[in-house]
Amino acid sequence: MATIGQATQAVSTTSALARARQRAAYVPDLLVEAHRVANTVIAGWHGRRKRGIGENFWQFRPYVEGESLSRIDWRRSARDDNTYVRDREWEAAHTVWLWSDSSASMLFQSTLAPVSKQSRALVILLALAEILARSGERIASPGVLDPVSARNAAERLATAIDLHRDRAVFPDVSQINRHSDLVLISDFLDPAEDVLEKLAPIAKRGIRGHVLEICDPVEEVFPYRGRTEFVDPEDGVKLTAGRAESLHEEYRRTYLARRESIADSLRRLGWNFITHHTDQPASTALVALHTHLSGVPGGGVREVSS
């Protein structure tokens, strides 16, 4: 995505193909990291639990006249004067669509962050796929992976990402059905009106959206001083500031106003907006996404800084 005043030093972006090859080279390592992150937050994850057809025990409840006698749990009923039925959990597979931006601006990594934005985005994407697959959900990625329900969904998604190397363009989401969940991970550095022009029509189709903004800490704090050259990683346009510190206040206002505008607009559309900084653990963003996807009350726009 094109940036708006992004404070970045030169990033090697010789071609989209070079970026794709670089990403493909470290996807296997990111998958390992994703498994580790998923395991740190897997406790407490539950699907949308209801009574119904399934394998897992849900609850005991009083027997109702007319029900099949085969459903009675005689051992539990023998404990008191009531007759109980053993209910099982309804396991409703649901499709969650996952997408992470792979454009040039996502390669940025400052000295304040341990990883690039793209690396962190892919780890969160694959870790979320791992957790969702364990809970029986279907995983998909627009233009990359058709819906699949399997324990190894994260591995299959990682393989599909390797095969579909040009994912910098915003995906075609026309195949996503109403009431599905869509998770979008990017730095969202386009002007707010451009971002909303893409997202608003999707929200109006009844798709539940969860937007995760990946931010390198220097992009928010703008720590630069003295003569500094800034390079737009998308088109190579350069800006040289004689006294970079003189741009600090205006830059901060513009950057934060863009974020606030996107977040407020998405909230009105019923979507969630989360900010994650790459100097923080990936698990913080994963927990926030988990909360929203689980439908925990108190959702809405949420910024994650720690």
Side-chain angles (χ1 to χ4, degrees):
M1 292 187 176
T3 61
I4 53 167
Q6 182 186 19
T8 150
Q9 297 169 316
V11 176
S12 177
T13 55
T14 57
S15 68
L17 180 59
R19 293 198 305 272
R21 287 172 175 167
Q22 177 184 353
R23 183 179 67 249
Y26 59 61
V27 162
D29 290 338
L30 296 183
L31 181 59
V32 173
E33 174 66 8
H35 283 310
R36 185 193 67 78
V37 173
N39 286 332
T40 66
V41 299
I42 195 65
W45 174 278
H46 298 288
R48 292 165 311 289
R49 301 182 64 195
K50 295 182 180 180
R51 190 180 70 202
I53 299 173
E55 298 180 355
N56 298 323
F57 169 73
W58 169 243
Q59 64 180 356
F60 289 116
R61 64 173 175 82
Y63 169 77
V64 177
E65 186 176 356
E67 290 188 277
S68 172
L69 296 178
S70 65
R71 299 193 60 194
I72 296 176
D73 189 291
W74 296 107
R75 178 174 297 181
R76 174 64 184 87
S77 300
R79 297 180 188 172
D80 53 42
D81 295 331
N82 296 311
T83 303
Y84 293 95
V85 170
R86 173 186 286 264
D87 273 337
R88 298 188 182 278
E89 181 180 347
W90 177 53
E91 298 172 351
H94 178 68
T95 300
V96 181
W97 295 80
L98 309 174
W99 177 80
S100 67
D101 187 6
S102 64
S103 57
S105 68
M106 293 292 287
L107 292 175
F108 181 65
Q109 176 185 351
S110 74
T111 56
L112 300 183
V115 295
S116 70
K117 292 185 290 183
Q118 183 180 94
S119 174
R120 178 55 56 82
L122 284 171
V123 165
I124 294 171
L125 186 85
L126 295 172
L128 184 58
E130 171 74 10
I131 290 179
L132 290 168
R134 293 190 193 184
S135 65
E137 310 286 14
R138 286 192 298 266
I139 306 302
S141 183
V144 175
L145 180 69
D146 291 334
V148 58
S149 179
R151 293 281 293 182
N152 67 339
E155 287 81 358
R156 295 173 70 168
L157 178 56
T159 299
I161 288 173
D162 269 350
L163 296 176
H164 295 78
R165 294 185 174 184
D166 186 11
R167 295 165 47 254
V169 178
F170 191 79
D172 177 9
V173 297
S174 59
Q175 74 273 40
I176 301 179
N177 295 327
R178 179 180 176 84
H179 300 313
S180 294
D181 283 280
L182 173 63
V183 177
L184 300 171
I185 307 176
S186 175
D187 52 16
F188 295 101
L189 286 173
D190 278 329
E193 56 270 23
D194 293 347
V195 174
L196 294 171
E197 184 179 0
K198 293 186 179 76
L199 301 187
I202 305 173
K204 291 176 181 177
R205 287 172 47 201
I207 295 171
R208 294 184 290 261
H210 314 274
V211 172
L212 178 62
E213 178 198 43
I214 302 290
C215 169
D216 187 288
V218 304
E219 293 175 322
E220 187 172 296
V221 301
F222 198 85
Y224 302 101
R225 301 183 64 83
R227 184 178 178 83
T228 308
E229 181 180 77
F230 303 103
V231 181
D232 189 317
E234 302 291 334
D235 54 24
V237 173
K238 298 180 180 180
L239 170 66
T240 301
R243 296 178 61 251
E245 62 271 23
S246 66
L247 303 176
H248 179 269
E249 291 302 324
E250 181 180 358
Y251 171 88
R252 287 267 298 166
R253 281 196 301 270
T254 302
Y255 184 90
L256 295 177
R258 170 201 54 82
R259 174 185 291 165
E260 183 177 355
S261 176
I262 295 172
D264 287 346
S265 296
L266 291 178
R267 180 180 59 218
R268 289 193 293 270
L269 291 168
W271 279 27
N272 301 307
F273 183 89
I274 304 163
T275 295
H276 173 71
H277 301 80
T278 52
D279 61 340
Q280 299 295 326
S283 57
T284 60
L286 193 58
V287 167
L289 286 171
H290 156 207
T291 300
H292 290 307
L293 285 165
S294 298
V296 174
V301 176
R302 176 177 300 187
E303 294 191 3
V304 178
S305 300
S306 61

